[in-house]
Amino acid sequence: MTLANDDENPLLEKPTGPFEVPPFARISPEHFSPAFARALEAHRTEIDTIAGQSTPPNFENTILALERSGRTLARVSSVFYVLAGAHTNEALLAIERELAPQLSAHWDRIYMNEALFCRIEELQQRVGELGLTTEEARVLERYHLAFRRAGGGLGAKAKQRLAEIGERLASLGTTFSQNVLTDEQAYALVLEGEPDLAGLPDFVRAAARGTAEERGLIGKHAVTLSRSSVVPFLQFSARRDLREKVFRAWIARGEGGGETDNTAIIAAMVKLRAERAQLLGYPTFAHYRLDDSMAKTPEAVMGLLDAVWEPARRRVVEERDALQELIRVEGSNFPLAAADWRYFAEKLRKQRFDLGEEEIKPYLQLENVIAAAFYTANRLFGLTFTPVENVPVYHSDVRVWDVRARGGRHIGLFFGDYFARPSKRSGAWMTTLRDQDKLDGDVRPLVLNVMNFAKSEGESTLLSFDDARTLFHEFGHGLHGLLSDVTYPMVAGTNVLRDFVELPSQLFEHWMERPEILRQFAVHYRTGEPMPEDLLTRLLQARTFNQGYATAEFLASSFVDMDFHLLGPGVAPDAAAIEIETRGKMGLPEEVVLRHRPPHFLHIFSGDGYAAGYYSYLWSEVLDADAFSAFEETGDVFDPATAKRLQDFIYAAGGVRDPADAYTQFRGRLPTPEALLRRRGLAAERPSS
Ligand SMILES: [Zn+2]
C-alpha cells in the first residue's frame, strides 16, 4: 500500500517532540515501504553526486560528504529494526523479508562503485598531506578498507570472480545450515516410562514432555539434538546407555554420509574462501579476516590460544581424574567416556557447592539490579538517571531515563524494555534509535536495552544470576553508546571492530559480582536482608568449576577454525582429517569432544560470520579480565583515575583509534591473558613466598 502524500509519513519528518524521539504512536507498518523507497532513492542520488564530481577529491567533498549522506535511511532503518526486534507483527515481518535483499543490493552498489573507490584511494595515498585529525584519518582509513575488501581497485575479471565466489559461498552456507537443521529434526530419543527418565529433574522432564507433544507423542518424553534439549539430558540422565546413544547422534550431525552430509561443502567453502583472500592480496583467508580485527594477525590469535591451552590442558586432565575417581567411589569400574562427562561433572558440582537457583533468586529483584547498574555508572562516570514520562515509546512496558553527566549536562536517553512478550524476539540486546555525532551540531544518542525477563504480576520481578549478569552486560553496551564523544558517525559509539565490541559490555559485568555492589543491592525481596556472605562465596567459587573442560572444548573448536582458514589457495581439505590432526597437535584428552565439530560448526560455515573469528569470544574475555584487573590493582574497584582513562579511551572513544592503541592508552600496555586464567581458575598456584 502506498500513501497518497509523503508529507503525511511520520517517518520522513524530522521528529519534533521531546528529545526528538520518533512519534511511535503515529507510525504504522504501511509507512515503512514508502519511507524506505524515498530514503534509498535519496541516498543513491547523494552517492552518485559524490562519485560523479569533476572536482578532485578532498576530505570534505568525499569523506565528509559520505558521512553526511544517507541520514534519512539511517533514521528510518533504526526505527524499523527497533520495532522488528522488540515489537514486531506479521506486517513488519513481511517488510523485513522484502527489505533484506534490497538493502544488501543497495550497499553492494555503493561499495562496488569504482569512481567512488578511486577518490577514496587517492585520498588514502595522500593521507599524510591532508592535515587531518586523528579521528578524520581513521574515518578515511575505515572507508578505504571497506571498499578495498569489497574488491575496489581490482580488474573487471577479478571483481566478477569475487562476486561469483560471494554468491556460491552464500548458497553453500545456507545448505550447510539446512543440513544441520534437517539432521537435528530427523532425530528424537523417545523416553518410555519411568526407567528411561531416571535422574531427570522436573524442569528437564517438563521440557522433554513438551518436545514429545510437539511431535504428536502425547504423554511421552523426548530428547532432540538441539543443544538446549540434549545438554540437560546429558547432565542429569542416570541411564548411561541412553546418554551414549543420544551423544553419538548429537556429535554426528552433518556427518551422516547421506544427502545431509556436510563434508564436501566444507571442502568447497574453505577452498573458495582461500581463493577470495588471494584475489584480495592475502596469503590465506585467516590473514584476510584478521587484517580487520584488533588481533590483526593469525600469529597473534594462535599465540593467545596456545597461552590459554597450556594451563587448560593441565586442568582438564585433573578434572578427568576427579570424575574417574567419583565413578570408582560410586562402586563402578568403567572408564569415563565423552558421553559421561557432563553427568559426573554435575554430580561433583552438587557435592562441592550445593547451589540452587531458588536460593539466589529472592535476592535479585529487577528494580534493584537496574539501580545497581545505574549506581555503578554513577560511581565510575558520574552519570545520573532520571525517569521521564513524556517521551514516545512503542510499548507501555518501555521505560525511559534522562541521562546526565556531572554538572547536569544532558547526555542522552536510555530506554529499558525488560519483559518478554510474544511480539519480541528472544535474547537480549542493545540497540539505538540514534547514535551520537557532532557532524552538524550536537546529536545526543537514544540508546535501548531489550531483554526477555519473565514479568511477575503484582510481585517484584526476580532475576536469576545469569539474568542479572545479562542486564549488566547490555547496560555496558548501552554506556558505550551513551558516553560516545566523537565527531563522525563512522566511528561513533559501538561502531568498533568485532573483537573489541564486547569489551565495554563484558567488563561492566565484573561490577555485578562485587561484594560492594551485592551487599547493597542484593537484598531479599521480602525481608530486605542482604545476601548471606556464605551464599555469595559459594556462588563465586562455583564459577571456576569444570572450566578446564569448558576451555578445552572451546579451544579445540577455535584451533580447528584457524587450521581450516590457514590453508593456502587450491586446497580442498578433508574435514575429518583436519579434526584428527588438530586434536593430535593439541594433545586433547579423548574424553573431550569439540564444542562444535566441523560438520555442524555453524559459526564458521553457515556464513562468514565467525570464520577465522571463533577465537574472538576468548579474545574479548582476555580484554575484560585484564581491564578489570586495572581497577583491582589500585585496591579500589571505582578508582577515579582508572575510571577516567576507561571513559576517555574506551567508552567515549568509539572507533577513533586502532583498538590496540586505545587499549594501551587506557592500560599502559597491551592485554595479557593472566587475569583471564585467574578468573577461569586456570592460573598455576602462586608459589608461597
Ligand atoms: Zn554483547
Side-chain angles (χ1 to χ4, degrees):
M1 165 179 174
T2 30
L3 296 180
N5 189 343
D6 281 345
D7 295 340
E8 292 163 18
N9 192 327
L11 289 166
L12 294 170
E13 300 160 8
K14 197 166 165 24
T16 52
F19 304 102
E20 296 171 356
V21 174
F24 288 108
R26 288 173 48 221
I27 297 172
S28 45
E30 66 267 22
H31 291 127
F32 282 103
S33 291
F36 270 113
R38 273 278 293 271
L40 286 166
E41 175 62 37
H43 194 208
R44 268 194 296 273
T45 308
E46 287 167 331
I47 296 293
D48 291 346
T49 307
I50 299 167
Q53 320 172 65
S54 50
T55 335
N58 56 43
F59 187 83
E60 178 135 18
N61 71 16
T62 303
I63 301 299
L64 186 58
L66 282 170
E67 285 288 271
R68 285 204 171 106
S69 72
R71 284 309 182 100
T72 310
L73 181 59
R75 201 178 64 229
V76 177
S77 298
S78 46
V79 176
F80 180 76
Y81 285 106
V82 162
L83 293 178
H87 196 41
T88 193
N89 55 43
E90 283 304 322
L92 291 179
L93 286 169
I95 297 168
E96 197 176 10
R97 283 191 295 270
E98 223 172 82
L99 203 59
Q102 279 181 38
L103 284 177
S104 94
H106 177 76
W107 288 106
D108 279 352
R109 189 175 169 273
I110 294 173
Y111 284 114
M112 298 276 189
N113 187 320
E114 198 55 28
L116 194 50
F117 173 72
C118 287
R119 298 181 73 83
I120 296 168
E121 173 73 17
E122 195 186 324
L123 291 173
Q124 184 65 40
Q125 296 304 327
R126 296 194 289 115
V127 62
E129 336 157 357
L130 299 176
L132 303 180
T133 65
T134 309
E135 180 174 347
E136 287 165 347
R138 177 78 178 166
V139 171
L140 169 57
E141 185 195 327
R142 298 300 303 157
Y143 271 104
H144 183 251
L145 193 66
F147 276 80
R148 209 167 57 84
R149 290 172 77 84
L154 293 183
K157 216 174 132 197
K159 269 190 170 167
Q160 170 67 25
R161 181 63 190 148
L162 272 184
E164 279 165 21
I165 292 174
E167 268 173 48
R168 185 81 191 112
L169 279 172
S171 99
L172 286 169
T174 307
T175 312
F176 183 95
S177 44
Q178 284 173 355
N179 286 344
V180 175
L181 189 67
T182 306
D183 278 5
E184 286 181 0
Q185 286 171 339
Y187 182 95
L189 174 70
V190 180
L191 306 171
E192 310 266 4
E194 196 55 36
D196 284 4
L197 298 171
L200 302 182
D202 285 346
F203 79 94
V204 180
R205 289 178 183 221
R209 199 157 48 237
T211 305
E213 263 167 38
E214 280 164 25
R215 288 168 180 252
L217 303 161
I218 308 299
K220 293 193 176 171
H221 295 78
V223 179
T224 68
L225 298 184
S226 79
R227 185 171 285 271
S228 60
S229 178
V230 72
V231 166
F233 183 80
L234 291 171
Q235 237 172 335
F236 293 106
S237 172
R239 283 283 299 273
R240 191 163 191 246
D241 58 330
L242 297 182
R243 290 201 307 264
E244 181 65 28
K245 201 170 160 186
V246 75
F247 187 75
R248 279 196 180 288
W250 189 43
I251 65 170
R253 286 167 298 149
E255 203 184 32
E259 275 189 8
T260 57
D261 193 289
N262 276 330
T263 310
I265 293 181
I266 293 173
M269 289 184 82
V270 171
K271 199 172 158 203
L272 285 167
R273 283 174 179 164
E275 186 188 345
R276 177 164 69 185
Q278 193 189 29
L279 283 169
L280 292 166
Y282 296 91
T284 72
F285 181 81
H287 288 85
Y288 159 71
R289 169 46 58 94
L290 294 165
D291 190 32
D292 191 25
S293 72
M294 179 177 178
K296 291 195 183 82
T297 63
E299 291 72 30
V301 171
M302 295 303 271
L304 167 70
L305 299 180
D306 285 335
V308 178
W309 175 229
E310 202 194 285
R313 180 177 165 182
R314 277 196 300 271
R315 176 56 46 85
V316 75
V317 169
E318 286 164 20
E319 288 171 359
R320 179 192 62 193
D321 295 348
L323 299 183
Q324 190 65 66
E325 176 62 11
L326 179 62
I327 291 171
R328 194 190 63 77
V329 169
E330 286 194 342
S332 302
N333 61 4
F334 56 82
L336 178 79
D340 296 323
W341 192 292
R342 289 176 173 82
Y343 176 73
F344 288 102
E346 176 60 25
K347 273 195 160 180
L348 199 58
R349 191 188 67 88
K350 223 172 261 167
Q351 284 180 15
R352 287 193 187 163
F353 302 105
D354 184 30
L355 204 61
E357 191 74 344
E358 62 289 347
E359 229 183 315
I360 298 158
K361 265 193 154 184
Y363 294 96
L364 296 173
Q365 301 166 67
L366 172 62
E367 289 310 309
N368 281 14
V369 178
I370 295 172
F374 289 173
Y375 172 84
T376 306
N378 180 265
R379 290 288 306 268
L380 291 171
F381 308 123
L383 299 180
T384 53
F385 295 76
T386 313
V388 282
E389 304 290 343
N390 61 341
V391 170
V393 290
Y394 52 86
H395 187 278
S396 57
D397 277 350
V398 180
R399 297 155 70 180
V400 190
W401 288 269
D402 179 1
V403 186
R404 292 187 181 261
R406 286 185 194 100
R409 185 169 58 89
H410 173 67
I411 290 287
L413 292 184
F414 177 68
F415 295 69
D417 180 2
Y418 294 108
F419 298 121
R421 59 176 167 264
S423 65
K424 197 189 271 188
R425 73 173 161 84
S426 60
W429 61 96
M430 169 272 191
T431 183
T432 59
L433 278 164
R434 191 172 67 211
D435 289 342
Q436 179 269 335
D437 79 67
K438 285 186 281 199
L439 214 50
D440 298 294
D442 187 17
V443 175
R444 302 315 313 168
L446 306 173
V447 171
L448 286 79
N449 271 184
V450 186
M451 324 262 151
N452 270 286
F453 302 144
K455 187 180 192 174
S456 31
E457 296 297 342
E459 272 207 290
S460 304
T461 292
L462 302 178
L463 304 184
S464 68
F465 199 71
D466 263 356
D467 287 342
R469 189 161 44 212
T470 301
L471 189 146
F472 266 65
H473 179 99
E474 298 307 332
F475 190 69
H477 282 308
L479 291 174
H480 199 193
L482 284 165
L483 289 168
S484 176
D485 186 21
V486 305
T487 303
Y488 294 88
M490 178 57 136
V491 292
T494 55
N495 291 333
V496 298
L497 303 190
R498 194 191 46 201
D499 59 358
F500 193 65
V501 74
E502 295 299 326
L503 170 59
S505 52
Q506 293 184 178
L507 173 58
F508 206 73
E509 292 176 32
H510 287 256
W511 279 278
M512 214 276 294
E513 299 177 351
R514 293 300 304 185
E516 295 88 333
I517 294 291
L518 288 169
R519 277 185 204 119
Q520 189 176 345
F521 294 96
V523 297
H524 197 281
Y525 77 112
R526 291 228 171 94
T527 65
E529 291 288 318
M531 183 183 279
E533 293 285 327
D534 149 69
L535 178 58
L536 181 59
T537 310
R538 273 186 291 144
L539 188 65
L540 296 181
Q541 278 175 351
R543 258 197 356 215
T544 58
F545 180 73
N546 206 38
Q547 281 297 306
Y549 177 79
T551 308
E553 62 159 11
F554 172 85
L555 285 176
S557 285
S558 295
F559 276 119
V560 161
D561 172 28
M562 292 304 292
D563 287 346
F564 274 120
H565 295 114
L566 279 167
L567 294 171
V571 187
D574 174 352
I578 295 264
E579 183 180 354
I580 291 169
E581 202 183 306
T582 307
R583 293 188 64 112
K585 274 191 292 188
M586 291 176 72
L588 188 68
E590 60 184 32
E591 297 84 356
V592 180
V593 171
L594 276 66
R595 185 168 171 85
H596 308 280
R597 296 190 52 238
H600 46 258
F601 202 165
L602 292 163
H603 292 78
I604 69 170
F605 292 122
S606 71
D608 280 355
Y610 279 87
Y614 192 63
Y615 79 92
S616 59
Y617 292 99
L618 188 73
W619 186 269
S620 306
E621 227 181 295
V622 166
L623 291 179
D624 72 69
D626 186 69
F628 191 72
S629 62
F631 284 92
E632 290 176 311
E633 285 161 16
T634 69
D636 174 6
V637 296
F638 299 110
D639 177 61
T642 311
K644 170 89 168 64
R645 285 199 311 276
L646 183 64
Q647 176 168 352
D648 290 350
F649 299 112
I650 309 285
Y651 281 87
V656 168
R657 290 176 190 79
D658 175 86
D661 293 346
Y663 193 87
T664 306
Q665 301 253 29
F666 156 64
R667 190 68 168 100
R669 58 163 174 75
L670 284 166
T672 65
E674 278 71 35
L676 165 107
L677 295 177
R678 282 198 302 276
R679 190 168 160 80
R680 287 200 170 205
L682 301 176
E685 298 298 323
R686 275 190 210 143
S688 48
S689 56

